[in-house]
Amino acid sequence: MKTVISAVFAATMMFATTAGAESWDMPTPYPDGNFHTQNIRQFVEDVKTATNGALTINVHSGGALVKATEIKRAVQSGQVQIGETLLSSLGNEDAVFAFDSIPGLVSNYASAEKLWHAAEGAVKKHLEEQGLVLLYSVPWPPQGVYAKSELKALADLKGSKFRTYNPATARFAEILGASPVTVQAAEVPQAFKTGVVDAMITSGATGVDSQAWDYVDYYYDLQAFLPQNMVFVSKDVFDGLSEETRSALVKAAAAAEERGWKTSAELNDGYKRTMAEHGIHVEAPSDAMSKELAGIGETMTSEWVEKAGPDGAAIIDAYRK
Ligand code: PCA
């Protein structure tokens, strides 16, 4: 007992003398029940424990402190120290960040992980150039199409008002001849109920978070791509940490990334079951849909490589190797 107490005391002293106690604010876009948010809560617990309270992180979920679209800027400007965002939401400012939103390039967790390893170095480098450090990244479950009525083909979405959440989903809608309407996850039920949108592409996780059975009847499990969230910190803040705190943070982040990938994969089927139990027709894509998806994928892959330049081409090459 005595040794345990003195070890804890020594560790506390170490943090106390090198860094002092720090308290950070962490805005995140998605609701409390979401698996990304829950993973973040475990991450901040781990950081607190590993640093003996020298670093505490206060999570503000659901866009409550900072709106989803403003989180990156809030970290860059020093308004907050750390945050979470959808990586591909930054696709307009730098296409490299949208490597994960090309339909048809990957359709499952194994290929998504391979793509992430091919892209990770470039994503980190591009973030660092903007004064940000990537801590970890976790994918949403594979993306499928939600519709109010039955679809035989994706072409049936022509003329629909299609909810989008990043530049790639807007392009997807445009290729289908639908009208893209940007709606944040929190506003999805309202947007359907008021007729602002009548279809969308997203994961089963967001379908369940937003109780999709209240506003749609069909889900087509396209497995079109697996977009990733990222947790990132200001480089200035990160560099100012003591070495002990920094390494505790990095270690907890690595654990969160591993746990998040596993949880996302484990929960995927359950989301579809939950939707089916609530009366949504959960269907595999028709042959027509699979062909259409492959065609859209070819178009969007070449468009992406053109925009993302040499770093983009290197990501695709490394992935296909
Ligand atoms: N859910 C988020 C992004 C991708 C996903 O599966 C959303 O719909 O906003």
Side-chain angles (χ1 to χ4, degrees):
M1 194 57 192
K2 193 159 168 256
T3 44
V4 173
I5 290 170
S6 52
V8 169
F9 182 71
T12 310
M13 285 307 290
M14 188 169 73
F15 281 109
T17 50
T18 51
E22 293 222 26
S23 176
W24 292 356
D25 286 308
M26 178 173 190
T28 77
Y30 302 101
D32 266 326
N34 179 263
F35 78 96
H36 289 289
T37 314
Q38 288 170 352
N39 195 35
I40 285 169
R41 294 212 182 269
Q42 182 64 55
F43 163 70
V44 307
E45 260 323 293
D46 290 351
V47 170
K48 192 173 168 189
T49 307
T51 62
N52 284 303
L55 177 56
T56 53
I57 301 173
N58 308 303
V59 179
H60 305 272
S61 61
L65 183 67
V66 181
K67 275 198 301 186
T69 50
E70 302 293 323
I71 292 176
K72 179 182 168 247
R73 210 162 319 149
V75 176
Q76 275 179 310
S77 69
Q79 186 192 337
V80 294
Q81 298 80 4
I82 185 172
E84 179 197 36
T85 201
L86 182 77
L87 188 45
S88 55
S89 67
L90 314 175
N92 270 346
E93 59 176 75
D94 182 343
V96 165
F97 296 138
F99 73 91
D100 60 11
S101 298
I102 304 165
L105 190 59
V106 307
S107 64
N108 56 42
Y109 286 89
S111 50
E113 200 172 344
K114 197 173 170 209
L115 179 61
W116 173 226
H117 288 315
E120 190 175 1
V123 169
K124 280 188 170 156
K125 189 183 82 180
H126 287 230
L127 286 171
E128 281 226 22
E129 285 164 7
Q130 301 193 26
L132 300 171
V133 174
L134 175 77
L135 286 176
Y136 73 86
S137 180
V138 166
W140 289 88
Q143 307 287 294
V145 164
Y146 291 75
K148 285 193 179 237
S149 47
E150 191 178 358
L151 304 176
K152 298 285 181 213
L154 296 177
D156 294 345
L157 291 165
K158 191 172 175 184
S160 67
K161 289 171 275 180
F162 197 84
R163 180 257 168 172
T164 64
Y165 59 76
N166 66 7
T169 51
R171 179 67 185 130
F172 181 79
E174 204 178 271
I175 293 174
L176 290 171
S179 308
V181 185
T182 302
V183 179
Q184 293 306 319
E187 271 90 53
V188 163
Q190 187 70 4
F192 273 92
K193 285 175 197 164
T194 55
V196 169
V197 297
D198 40 40
M200 68 174 169
I201 184 164
T202 187
S203 61
T206 292
V208 171
D209 284 350
S210 65
Q211 308 198 333
W213 44 89
D214 289 343
Y215 57 84
V216 289
D217 290 315
Y218 290 86
Y219 177 68
Y220 296 94
D221 192 16
L222 285 185
Q223 307 185 13
F225 55 97
L226 287 79
Q228 295 178 203
N229 280 2
M230 65 162 175
V231 167
F232 59 104
V233 60
S234 145
K235 186 166 162 34
D236 284 346
V237 171
F238 185 78
D239 289 344
L241 293 172
S242 73
E243 223 171 289
E244 293 86 355
T245 303
R246 203 182 312 132
S247 92
L249 185 68
V250 167
K251 208 169 142 209
E257 175 152 324
E258 202 184 320
R259 187 174 59 236
W261 277 78
K262 245 179 92 192
T263 310
S264 181
E266 280 166 7
L267 295 176
N268 183 26
D269 283 339
Y271 293 131
K272 289 181 263 180
R273 262 200 313 276
T274 301
M275 292 199 286
E277 279 161 18
H278 283 87
I280 293 184
H281 300 273
V282 175
E283 318 225 336
S286 65
D287 287 347
M289 285 180 189
S290 301
K291 279 199 198 99
E292 292 168 295
L293 183 68
I296 294 170
E298 261 175 51
T299 306
M300 287 185 63
T301 304
S302 51
E303 287 175 354
W304 182 78
V305 169
E306 198 161 300
K307 275 197 226 132
D311 280 347
I315 290 171
I316 299 287
D317 284 350
Y319 169 67
R320 291 200 165 135
K321 228 184 246 151

